[in-house]
Amino acid sequence: MKKFIITILAVFSVTGIYAQTYEFKIVTSVESIVPGGLGRSRVIENNEERDFSPVMASNAGRQKDTKSRKENKAENFKETNLLNFYSMVGINFQNIASNDAILSSMLNAYAQEGWELAFVSSGVESDAGKDDGSGIFITRYVFKRKKE
């Protein structure tokens, strides 16, 4: 029993030494679902390191944001053009296939750089009736890789 406990302690101490720390990257695709192909579709990637703590506001005492909205905005980001889901005659499946090819290329490039796709989150804001006529399909790709 004593040997078993010593072995367990040794395993836990060794695994603690090799605990991994990760860095994360979020890339967002925004695909327009505006009829007539009038929308804008893009892949957006932030190129700035940011610290969230100066822009975090406390709800205690109803404190205001610690920085203005303008100071929160990232100035350095990459934009990749995508095609819109709709053309003048309706859904354009060729555009969807083209966007898939671009996004697949992006995923493969990040994998080559050592990024692992941790998870994907998506949502849609679609046409809400006759007077709306606009919408987007947004997808966030969250990548992680081991910090060196």
Side-chain angles (χ1 to χ4, degrees), residues 16-111:
I17 293 170
Y18 295 106
Q20 299 297 321
T21 304
Y22 293 95
E23 60 181 326
F24 294 89
K25 173 191 287 283
I26 300 174
V27 177
T28 302
S29 67
V30 179
E31 296 174 276
S32 172
I33 52 177
V34 176
L38 300 174
R40 296 178 3 188
S41 298
R42 304 281 188 274
V43 176
I44 307 297
E45 178 187 348
N46 177 40
N47 288 337
E48 295 180 6
E49 289 291 325
R50 302 294 292 265
D51 178 14
F52 75 95
S53 55
V55 297
M56 180 179 258
S58 171
N59 199 15
R62 302 283 185 203
Q63 291 179 342
K64 296 288 183 185
D65 290 340
T66 55
K67 281 193 165 192
S68 73
R69 291 179 66 161
K70 185 175 181 174
E71 291 170 323
N72 288 348
K73 289 189 177 187
E75 300 292 330
N76 185 9
F77 61 93
K78 287 188 217 173
E79 246 182 281
T80 302
N81 289 333
L82 293 175
L83 300 170
N84 297 327
F85 278 175
Y86 284 102
S87 64
M88 292 303 286
V89 294
I91 296 174
N92 188 319
F93 296 105
Q94 185 176 14
N95 286 2
I96 294 170
S98 299
N99 289 353
D100 288 350
I102 290 170
L103 292 168
S104 294
S105 173
M106 176 196 77
L107 292 169
N108 287 327
Y110 290 135

